[in-house]
Amino acid sequence: MNRHNGATSGRRPKAIDVAPLAIAILSVLALALTVQTLPQRPADPARAKRLEWFRDAKYGLFIHWGLYAIPAGEWKGKRSLGLGEWIMNRSKIPVAEYEPLAKQFNPVKFNADQWVQLAQDAGMKYIVITSKHHDGFAMFKSAVSPYNVADATPFRRDVLKELADACARHGMRLGFYYSQSQDWHEKNGAGNTWDFGPDQGPDNKELKNYDAYLRSKAEPQVKELLTGYGPVALIWFDTPRMMTPERGQRFADIVRTSQPNTLIDGRLGTEGDYRSTGDNVIPPEASTEAWETPATINDTWGFRKDDTNWKSPGQITFKLVDIVSKGGNYLLNVGPTAEGVIPPASQDILRTVGRWLKANGEAVYGAGTSPFGEEYGEYTARGAKDVRGQKLFLPQTEWRVTSKPGKLYFTFFAELRAPFEIPAMKNRITRAYRLADHAPVDLKTENGKTTFSLERPMLDPMATVVVVEFEGQKIER
Ligand code: H79
């Protein structure tokens, strides 16, 4: 027991005082336990406010578009493996050979309104587009560097400005990806070892004048993005190589002073507003802090003409509901061609998921996490390891749960072979119905267990949602 408990100091408890004393001690213990289980970051009301729209949005469109769409995965007649936007790095293309791609960049089929319309049809609530990827080429008119779409190409149009105006017309939020650390076009940026040598020596000593690059290009370009394109929903920084907390803070200060409502993602190098998972990584369990999974619709971000490994609409829908049930956002990428066309296959997939969301969006937008968790799967008890050598997680993918006050949304991704048993809870269940057509679902309660069955074939074989209403706001287990 805590003899130095301030709540009892100066008092000598008599027998009759034991109850308040016990309560005081218990509340101190409870406080200590709460503090331990709270997320590490301190409560920040301004951040919570900034994040409100983001937490409700759940689903965004990522767009990777730049000069790399021209080679589209092939350099000098040879396939360059890996991510399309990494071709300069993977094929060790010197700046002197990559830079002239700008003279070929003329995406005459680019139509910002059509892209925003696609995102809207897809049921996406925000767009994030590459303003400058690791190759250093800016997709906006920049006074900081002539290596940009308006000054170095025959197209001469400010792509980001057109997109920002279209988003404003459609009421769509727009954020910018900006590669703050890697810049393969600049001798002092990180990453271009083939033209400019290694970034760091064996002792991590910096061999380039990295701060000169940050101050002369990255920082002023981020400032341009935050001053010339209307309200910016977020800045999506990436790969924080050599980003010390001080350097990260310089970017954070630029964002906060230019647009205090703009969110900072989780890859700046200093604390952002939300956590970014690894690329294509969906965590195994739910979390209450704001987070986002950036993900590819095939296996590349920037367009590759040979990548047709599209995820199906059913796979995308599962990932979206899985992520929402764990408290996160899904930022799903498309890679437009050098002509300015979003590959028709990815458009079809997005629109199919969008049609599902039209009927079932209530289970997604603004929805909270699952109060259960057993549906996610479990770690293997047999000692198998995953490819990274971590304990293997065996996911279950039959169903997921999202929630709103008084409501649970059970989404089924496969037909039920037996009546579905609602996980045990203290709340009384009042009724159940299919979300898409509001058809009632019969509930059976026996021995304190409530079950229901779904008609076969399922209403929507891709994903059928059953709403279960219960007494009270929150599930008590
Ligand atoms: O913008 C997308 C990626 O280009 C970027 N993040 C997403 C959102 C990203 N930057 N770095 N990485 C992802 C990690 C990259 C790893 C690899 Fe490679 C690039 C594996 C293959 C190509 C580096 C070069 C490691 C091997 C070759």
Side-chain angles (χ1 to χ4, degrees):
M1 283 293 161
N2 186 355
R3 297 181 144 267
H4 307 283
N5 185 342
T8 62
S9 65
R11 287 188 71 201
R12 197 163 225 288
K14 299 181 214 131
I16 197 146
D17 277 331
V18 164
L21 175 65
I23 287 168
I25 291 172
L26 281 175
S27 43
V28 167
L29 278 175
L31 184 70
L33 283 173
T34 322
V35 168
Q36 265 186 355
T37 50
L38 279 175
Q40 290 102 328
R41 57 169 82 211
D44 178 344
R47 168 183 289 142
K49 188 92 190 111
R50 280 198 293 278
L51 278 168
E52 271 174 13
W53 72 266
F54 181 83
R55 281 181 172 276
D56 285 349
K58 299 299 174 196
Y59 193 28
L61 179 66
F62 214 169
I63 303 175
H64 274 68
W65 200 34
L67 297 182
Y68 38 80
I70 299 170
E74 182 184 320
W75 192 251
K76 295 189 172 167
K78 273 181 76 176
R79 254 176 111 206
S80 175
L81 299 179
L83 305 171
E85 72 282 6
W86 272 73
I87 191 166
M88 184 180 178
N89 179 297
R90 287 297 289 264
S91 293
K92 301 286 171 264
I93 305 171
V95 170
E97 289 182 40
Y98 189 88
E99 194 183 71
L101 284 173
K103 294 197 211 108
Q104 292 178 48
F105 192 73
N106 196 19
V108 290
K109 294 188 179 161
F110 168 63
N111 180 318
D113 282 294
Q114 285 174 5
W115 287 14
V116 180
Q117 187 63 55
L118 170 66
Q120 236 154 20
D121 293 349
M124 291 159 150
K125 302 295 189 189
Y126 59 111
I127 295 177
V128 181
I129 185 168
T130 47
S131 66
K132 185 203 82 170
H133 204 265
H134 308 332
D135 66 358
F137 183 74
M139 295 295 282
F140 58 103
K141 182 164 174 63
S142 172
V144 174
S145 159
Y147 192 45
N148 74 70
V149 67
D151 294 319
T153 75
F155 196 49
R156 298 200 70 83
R157 285 158 54 184
D158 185 338
V159 163
L160 294 198
K161 187 79 180 85
E162 291 185 25
L163 198 62
D165 292 346
C167 283
R169 283 193 290 275
H170 287 78
M172 175 69 69
R173 291 179 198 269
L174 177 64
F176 299 126
Y177 173 107
Y178 190 91
S179 175
Q180 79 278 29
S181 173
Q182 294 194 67
D183 189 318
W184 305 331
H185 185 258
E186 308 301 328
K187 69 176 195 298
N188 288 319
N192 185 338
T193 54
W194 55 100
D195 282 308
F196 308 121
D199 298 341
Q200 289 170 292
D203 47 359
N204 283 350
K205 184 180 145 56
E206 291 177 10
L207 303 176
K208 295 172 177 168
N209 193 348
Y210 184 53
D211 278 306
Y213 151 75
L214 291 176
R215 291 190 189 281
S216 67
K217 184 171 179 184
E219 291 170 27
Q221 282 198 330
V222 169
K223 179 90 193 165
E224 287 181 321
L225 291 170
L226 288 157
T227 42
Y229 298 87
V232 177
L234 56 87
I235 302 281
W236 217 97
F237 297 104
D238 200 6
T239 64
R241 296 190 188 174
M242 301 190 289
M243 287 299 292
T244 57
E246 296 71 38
R247 287 165 172 162
Q249 194 56 47
R250 298 212 297 266
F251 285 101
D253 290 345
I254 290 166
V255 176
R256 296 290 181 245
T257 56
S258 322
Q259 292 201 29
N261 294 327
T262 299
L263 297 176
I264 298 173
D265 76 331
R267 298 187 181 182
L268 173 55
T270 186
E271 199 186 34
D273 288 307
Y274 63 85
R275 186 166 61 88
S276 305
T277 69
D279 294 352
N280 287 302
V281 174
I282 301 177
E285 304 280 357
S287 150
T288 52
E289 71 176 323
W291 61 272
E292 177 186 62
T293 291
T296 52
I297 195 166
N298 46 0
D299 296 319
T300 181
W301 305 85
F303 178 71
R304 283 189 69 101
K305 57 190 166 193
D306 58 355
D307 188 343
T308 56
N309 192 25
W310 311 108
K311 289 165 190 71
S312 70
Q315 287 172 306
I316 301 290
T317 305
F318 174 76
K319 286 176 197 291
L320 174 60
V321 177
D322 185 30
I323 287 169
V324 174
S325 82
K326 294 167 179 170
N329 282 20
Y330 191 20
L331 184 60
L332 179 60
N333 181 75
V334 295
T337 67
E339 289 199 296
V341 175
I342 295 175
S346 38
Q347 292 197 38
D348 292 347
I349 296 159
L350 293 187
R351 288 205 171 87
T352 301
V353 178
R355 277 191 295 277
W356 182 86
L357 279 164
K358 263 220 160 345
N360 298 285
E362 190 191 314
V364 169
Y365 307 118
T369 56
S370 166
F372 308 118
E374 52 259 45
E375 68 273 27
Y376 298 139
E378 56 199 314
Y379 288 95
T380 173
R382 296 173 63 182
K385 299 273 198 293
D386 68 15
V387 285
R388 292 196 178 90
Q390 313 274 350
K391 212 166 184 213
L392 183 69
F393 189 79
L394 301 171
Q396 295 282 353
T397 57
E398 283 80 25
W399 55 279
R400 287 293 181 266
V401 187
T402 53
S403 60
K404 287 194 179 161
K407 286 179 185 179
L408 294 173
Y409 303 88
F410 288 84
T411 304
F412 296 93
F413 302 94
E415 288 195 342
L416 295 171
R417 284 138 198 272
F420 178 76
E421 186 182 319
I422 298 176
M425 56 170 106
K426 290 188 182 137
N427 308 61
R428 202 175 76 81
I429 293 168
T430 51
R431 67 177 186 130
Y433 52 93
R434 280 195 311 229
L435 180 57
D437 63 353
H438 284 254
V441 170
D442 288 335
L443 295 170
K444 258 207 192 101
T445 303
E446 264 170 40
N447 309 324
K449 291 186 160 80
T450 304
T451 60
F452 61 79
S453 298
L454 287 182
E455 281 172 11
R456 296 170 69 181
M458 292 208 302
L459 179 69
D460 187 338
M462 192 168 88
T464 296
V465 182
V466 174
V467 187
V468 172
E469 294 188 352
F470 58 88
E471 282 182 356
Q473 298 280 295
K474 274 192 70 153
I475 291 293
E476 312 280 342
R477 298 211 74 190

